[in-house]
Amino acid sequence: MIADSTAQQGGSRIDTSRPHSARIWNYLAGGKDYYEVDAEAAEKVLAVFPGMRDITLASRAFIGRVVRHLAGREGIRQFLDIGTGLPTRDNTHEVAQRVAPECRVVYADNDPVVLLHAEALLTSSPEGACDYIDADVRDPEAILERAARTLDFSRPVGLMLMGILGLVPDHDEARSVVRRLLDALPPGSFLGLNDGSTTDPAYVRAIEAHNARGTATPYTPRSPERIAAFFDGLELLDPGVVPCSRWRPENASGEPPAEVAVFGGLGRKP
C-alpha cells in the first residue's frame, strides 16, 4: 500500500481522502499502489459482489490476449492505451515488446498517482519507445496531439480503451469520444475495448452501491448491445463482442471459461 497523504505531483497534494477508480482497480488486481481509502471502497464492492476480483483478472487477461494478437498476427507496432491506470503485471508495452521489441506505446491517464508511477511504465525496450501523457479520455484531441510526439498516425495504431468508457456516463458522449479517436487513425488500425455490462444483476447492484456512496467517480455499466455500438463502422474480429473471459481464451482444458459481466471485442478500421 502507498504511504499516506504526503505524496505530491507537480507541487499539488494528491487527494487521499477519496477513493480513485485506478487505485481501486489496482487493489482488486493484487497490486500495491493504493491507499487505505481505496482498499475500503474495493472491499465494500467485494462484500456485495465477491466476483468483482474475477472480473478484474479476466479483464487483465483479455488485454494481454488482445495485445498479443495485434503485435503478433496483425503486425501492429504502435499502441495508444487510454485509461491505462496504475502499472500492474503485463502492461501493454511489456506484452507488445515481448512479441516485437520495436513496438511504440503511449499511455494516457489523468490520475496524479499514475503520474507518480509513470517511470514504472516508461521502461521500453531499446528498440521501441514508451511514453505517458496526462490527459482525460473526454479530450481526445489533446490526447492525439500529444501522442503524435511518439506515434506516427500515418501508420496503423492499436487503440486500447479498456474499462474506461464506463467513466463517461453519457452514451452519446462516449460514442463521440471513440469516433473522434478513430477518425484520426489510418485504415488498418484497431480498436480493442472492454467495459462492464448489465448482464449480471449482482454486479450492477454492487456498482450502483459504489456510485451511491459518492466518494469516487461513478461508473456506468452498459448493455452488450451498447458496448457493441462502439465498434460501429469497424470489422469485428471473431468471436465479436462477448464476455472477456470468452474472447479467444487460452485454456488447455478446452472447456469454456465462466462468463464475467465485462464484455469486449476487437475491431479493424477498414
Side-chain angles (χ1 to χ4, degrees):
M1 186 169 67
I2 305 173
D4 202 15
S5 57
T6 55
Q8 297 192 2
Q9 172 62 36
S12 62
R13 182 185 294 272
I14 293 169
D15 184 1
T16 64
S17 66
R18 290 170 55 87
H20 189 282
S21 58
R23 302 192 303 259
I24 293 170
W25 197 258
N26 183 268
Y27 175 86
L28 291 168
K32 56 183 177 58
D33 298 315
Y34 57 86
Y35 294 100
E36 183 176 350
V37 67
D38 306 303
E40 290 174 354
E43 287 295 338
K44 287 176 181 176
V45 173
L46 289 169
V48 179
F49 182 62
M52 192 66 202
R53 184 164 275 123
D54 293 334
I55 283 178
T56 307
L57 298 176
S59 298
R60 290 297 307 173
F62 170 78
I63 295 170
R65 296 196 300 275
V66 167
V67 174
R68 280 192 294 274
H69 176 85
L70 290 177
R73 295 286 296 275
E74 305 293 347
I76 296 295
R77 296 295 178 264
Q78 303 188 108
F79 294 83
L80 177 56
D81 187 339
I82 301 175
T84 178
L86 288 155
T88 55
R89 297 177 298 275
D90 286 340
N91 301 291
T92 295
H93 75 284
E94 295 168 330
V95 176
Q97 290 180 350
R98 279 200 292 267
V99 177
E102 68 273 23
C103 284
R104 305 175 73 81
V105 179
V106 172
Y107 295 98
D109 207 297
N110 68 339
D111 178 19
V113 171
V114 178
L115 279 171
L116 282 173
H117 290 76
E119 288 187 3
L121 291 171
L122 304 180
T123 52
S124 172
S125 65
E127 302 93 333
C130 189
D131 195 11
Y132 177 88
I133 58 179
D134 178 20
D136 193 301
V137 67
R138 291 164 293 190
D139 190 1
E141 287 74 24
I143 292 174
L144 292 163
E145 179 183 359
R146 296 174 65 186
R149 298 179 305 198
T150 302
L151 305 180
D152 177 0
F153 287 127
S154 69
R155 297 171 49 229
V157 173
L159 172 63
M160 310 284 287
L161 294 172
M162 300 295 186
I164 185 67
L165 292 178
L167 300 176
V168 183
D170 184 84
H171 187 60
D172 289 338
E173 181 184 4
R175 290 190 68 181
S176 173
V177 165
V178 176
R179 183 169 60 251
R180 287 147 64 195
L181 289 166
L182 287 171
D183 283 349
L185 305 182
S189 295
F190 287 81
L191 169 64
L193 179 149
N194 72 11
D195 251 315
S197 80
T198 55
T199 56
D200 186 334
Y203 168 73
V204 173
R205 288 194 298 270
I207 295 300
E208 288 174 346
H210 169 74
N211 292 343
R213 294 184 192 103
T215 56
T217 304
Y219 188 85
T220 303
R222 291 186 166 94
S223 68
E225 293 76 19
R226 286 203 156 192
I227 296 172
F230 292 129
F231 293 93
D232 284 354
L234 303 182
E235 299 168 350
L236 264 176
L237 276 63
D238 290 337
V241 177
V242 296
C244 285
S245 54
R246 297 195 171 186
W247 194 89
R248 305 191 179 196
E250 298 171 343
N251 57 325
S253 69
E255 293 293 323
E259 287 195 13
V260 293
V262 174
F263 275 61
L266 180 63
R268 179 190 292 109
K269 182 176 178 177

